[in-house]
Structure formats: C-alpha cells, structure tokens
Amino acid sequence: MPPLRKTVSSLHSRPCPEINTTLLTQLDLTDSQRGRNKLPRFVVRDNGPFNRVALWHMPQLQLEMLCCGPECQSAVFMSCSATRGIEVFRVKRDKELGDMMLTFLARLTTEVSRGQPPNIDLFWDDPAYHVMLRRLVRIGREVVHIATISPEDVQRSALCDKWFLD
C-alpha cells in the first residue's frame, strides 16, 4: 500500500478528510429508454474512482475546511470505488474564497428569511459572484493528486466477502 499516512501528514496542517464513493449500480434506460410497460432496471457498473475532483465539490470542501478551524489548510479528497480502488487528492484552502462564500451565504439567508423563495439567478448580475466562481475554477485546477490505492490494498471486512451478485 502507498505510504498514505506519510503523504497526508506531510501536508503540514490538519487536513479535512472527505470520502466520496462512486455508485456501483446505475439505472439502465436502454431499450428505447425503457418505454411503455417496461420497468427500469439497475445494472452493476463500476466506473471506478474519479481521476479528478469535480468542480461541484469545491464549495463544500472549502466550507468543511473553514469548519475544521484555522489549522486546517487543506482537504484530502478520496474518490472510492467498490471494486476499482481509491484515488486521493489534496485541495488547498483558500481563505479569501471562503470569505466570499460566507458573504453570499449571508445574503442568501437574508433573502430566504423574507418568506419567499429567492430567484434562481439571484446573484447572476453581481460581478463579485462571477469573481467567486472564477476563483472556484482556479482552485479546482490546483488540486494535486496524492496517491492511487489499488483495489487489493483497500481494507475489506472478512465478514463481507460476498458481493450479493449471485
């Protein structure tokens, strides 16, 4: 197994862990999108762990690091697959981005507290919102791949040796 503990501890901070699992079963809508009188079916399909951290995870990761306190300067994101191993990434904390996000969350809270749902494009005309979005994209591009853990090195319980596929 790769020296993950050593790799993670070399980040010089208390990283915030985030484990994301990929789905093992997926809805299969083939056969003309499972038309009339045909029930949708699930198929076993393991697409493996993702080879990058998707951009939609960035806001959550930044807020999790904020919640972990000032010592937390990064998050360790693991994309886990049921049968194909784990990919491990490091996401840096961006304090300025976190502050921007909190500003927009406060504004959203004010809008929601008025008792009416906010417009779907509530912040779209605000230039600061676009600055924040560009910063999220930049942080996403700076993600570092730390390790690949093969399926053989993933600890499994001896009590669960059947995949219930029979």
Side-chain angles (χ1 to χ4, degrees):
M1 180 168 175
L4 182 60
R5 181 183 303 259
K6 183 178 179 182
T7 303
V8 171
S9 65
S10 70
L11 299 177
H12 304 295
S13 70
R14 293 184 185 172
C16 173
E18 172 72 21
I19 300 173
N20 182 270
T21 57
T22 60
L23 294 175
L24 183 59
T25 57
Q26 297 174 345
L27 190 59
D28 183 25
L29 293 176
T30 54
D31 295 333
S32 299
Q33 297 301 319
R34 306 298 293 167
R36 277 187 356 187
N37 301 326
K38 291 184 181 179
L39 295 175
R41 63 182 176 201
F42 285 92
V43 295
V44 175
R45 184 180 300 140
D46 189 352
N47 293 324
F50 295 112
N51 60 2
R52 62 184 173 82
V53 180
L55 188 58
W56 58 79
H57 291 293
M58 292 301 138
Q60 177 182 340
L61 291 167
Q62 291 296 320
L63 291 176
E64 286 176 358
M65 288 183 268
L66 176 72
C67 291
C68 286
E71 300 89 27
C72 179
Q73 294 300 309
S74 64
V76 174
F77 183 92
M78 292 176 258
S79 179
C80 306
S81 160
T83 64
R84 297 176 64 193
I86 301 172
E87 296 294 334
V88 185
F89 304 90
R90 176 182 177 225
V91 179
K92 289 183 186 177
R93 181 176 181 172
D94 185 323
K95 184 182 179 329
E96 197 172 320
L97 175 60
D99 291 343
M100 290 179 197
M101 291 170 55
L102 289 177
T103 298
F104 282 102
L105 282 172
R107 288 177 53 191
L108 179 63
T109 300
T110 300
E111 288 292 320
V112 170
S113 67
R114 294 185 177 143
Q116 295 294 321
N119 292 332
I120 195 164
D121 58 356
L122 177 64
F123 303 125
W124 194 250
D125 293 330
D126 186 335
Y129 182 68
H130 293 275
V131 169
M132 182 183 72
L133 294 178
R134 283 192 297 273
R135 196 164 187 116
L136 279 167
V137 170
R138 192 194 82 213
I139 291 296
R141 289 185 181 139
E142 294 174 357
V143 171
V144 176
H145 182 261
I146 295 175
T148 297
I149 302 173
S150 69
E152 298 79 27
D153 290 328
V154 176
Q155 182 178 351
R156 307 271 185 215
S157 169
L159 300 175
C160 183
D161 61 351
K162 296 197 185 324
W163 287 95
F164 55 84
L165 301 176
D166 47 357

